[in-house]
Amino acid sequence: MSATDRLIEANRRFATTFDRGGLEAAPAMGVAVVACMDARLDVYRLLGLREGDAHVIRNAGAVVTEEVIRSLAISQHELGTTEVILIGHTKCGLEGLDRDEFAERLERETHAPRDWTIGAFDDVHQSVANSIAQIEASPFLSLAKSVRGFVYDVNTGTLNEVI
Amino acid sequence: MSATDRLIEANRRFATTFDRGGLEAAPAMGVAVVACMDARLDVYRLLGLREGDAHVIRNAGAVVTEEVIRSLAISQHELGTTEVILIGHTKCGLEGLDRDEFAERLERETHAPRDWTIGAFDDVHQSVANSIAQIEASPFLSLAKSVRGFVYDVNTGTLNEVI
């Protein structure tokens, strides 16, 4: 049985007690979260979110790319969110990743020309600060009344704000 | 008190009982999930995931963009995942979105030249099928032994596989 099969089985059990149907698409709290894809971040649980509360956008490193701008623009202009929460985290695989080594290994393993940047960074606090600045500077995201960033400690479960 | 402040308060309570520290970055189940940012999808709960089990990548529509390729390539080549699960859902805001109307409204509201595509689609099943094909075709994602796609029913909590 594959991991996917086990997760589908878990969904069958989840659905038998599901009682959160009939919700609207627009997030009830007016919030969009941008977080790293890291497996240790259960974004709903760590923020106390319930289904319907907030959009959740995730990628490798929680870096602000064109894709994040797209998702947040739809979140704000189509679905009415006005607060953005950025979440990087400790022990991120992209913090201090050796870009050259990874790029070389990827080329060796894939034999393919890469047209995307790896998105690694040297310091997660600086990366979150940069992301806040990028969102605040985007003309597509000017409906945000609040853009705040945090580093989540994967060992303690605590969010620490990046000022 | 802003919604962000309320969520930070919820995190304080979460951290007091947090007992999932010390986990590795590599997902324990070897799985990467790609899902829509929609607020109604609590991906961990609907799949029975715990912290550390799976990467979770999310954007508007769960469409496969260059950004998703980047995140999945890091997931596979740097952190060892070998199964991909795609999750679109019913009542998606991007299904049947009037691209022209939205593009015009965005231009009127932002006065900015847009260099990204909106990523809307006409049918979520077809969109998930396309995403499976894109992942299977990418030279950067050939370490995947399994790529399967689903439409999540936001009213019943059930995953239905796209074959």
Side-chain angles (χ1 to χ4, degrees), chain B residues 14-159:
Chain B
F14 167 79
T16 60
T17 59
F18 183 74
D19 61 356
R20 299 283 294 164
L23 300 172
E24 297 296 320
M29 296 188 79
V31 171
V33 180
V34 179
C36 183
M37 70 176 181
D38 191 282
R40 294 164 291 188
L41 275 65
D42 180 344
V43 172
Y44 279 66
R45 215 159 76 87
L46 77 88
L47 288 173
L49 291 170
R50 296 193 70 193
E51 285 98 339
D53 283 344
H55 282 144
V56 181
I57 298 156
R58 301 180 64 169
N59 67 25
V63 290
V64 173
T65 57
E66 185 180 273
E67 169 70 19
V68 171
I69 304 283
R70 177 185 78 88
S71 293
L72 284 175
I74 291 167
S75 177
Q76 293 184 10
H77 289 269
E78 184 71 12
L79 292 156
T81 63
T82 57
E83 298 183 36
V84 180
I85 299 176
L86 284 154
I87 305 182
H89 64 96
T90 60
K91 300 184 182 292
C92 185
L94 286 179
E95 187 179 28
L97 177 74
D98 185 329
R99 292 166 187 76
D100 294 341
E101 187 279 327
F102 183 67
E104 276 171 35
R105 181 153 50 83
L106 207 59
E107 199 176 324
R108 209 164 51 235
E109 291 175 2
T110 64
H111 308 288
R114 181 170 50 84
D115 51 1
W116 41 272
T117 52
I118 291 165
F121 45 81
D122 295 322
D123 176 78
V124 67
H125 291 82
Q126 188 55 54
S127 177
V128 170
N130 290 348
S131 293
I132 294 172
Q134 280 176 277
I135 290 174
E136 288 181 337
S138 170
F140 300 107
L141 307 179
S142 59
L143 299 180
K145 291 182 206 152
S146 158
V147 182
R148 291 166 66 183
F150 302 84
V151 174
Y152 176 74
D153 186 319
V154 296
N155 281 335
T156 65
T158 311
L159 285 174

Side-chain angles (χ1 to χ4, degrees), chain A residues 4 77-78 83 105 109 155, chain B residues 4 77-78 83 105 109:
Chain A
T4 300
H77 289 270
E78 184 71 11
E83 297 183 38
R105 181 153 49 83
E109 290 175 2
N155 282 334
Chain B
T4 300
H77 289 269
E78 184 71 12
E83 298 183 36
R105 181 153 50 83
E109 291 175 2

Side-chain angles (χ1 to χ4, degrees), chain A residues 2 8 13 22 28 47 50 53 62 67 71 77 85 91 93 95 97 104 112 115 122-123 133 136 145:
Chain A
S2 68
I8 295 168
R13 292 191 294 277
L47 288 173
R50 297 194 70 192
D53 283 344
E67 168 71 20
S71 293
H77 289 270
I85 298 176
K91 301 184 182 289
E95 188 180 26
L97 177 73
E104 275 171 35
D115 52 1
D122 295 321
D123 175 78
E136 288 181 337
K145 291 182 205 150

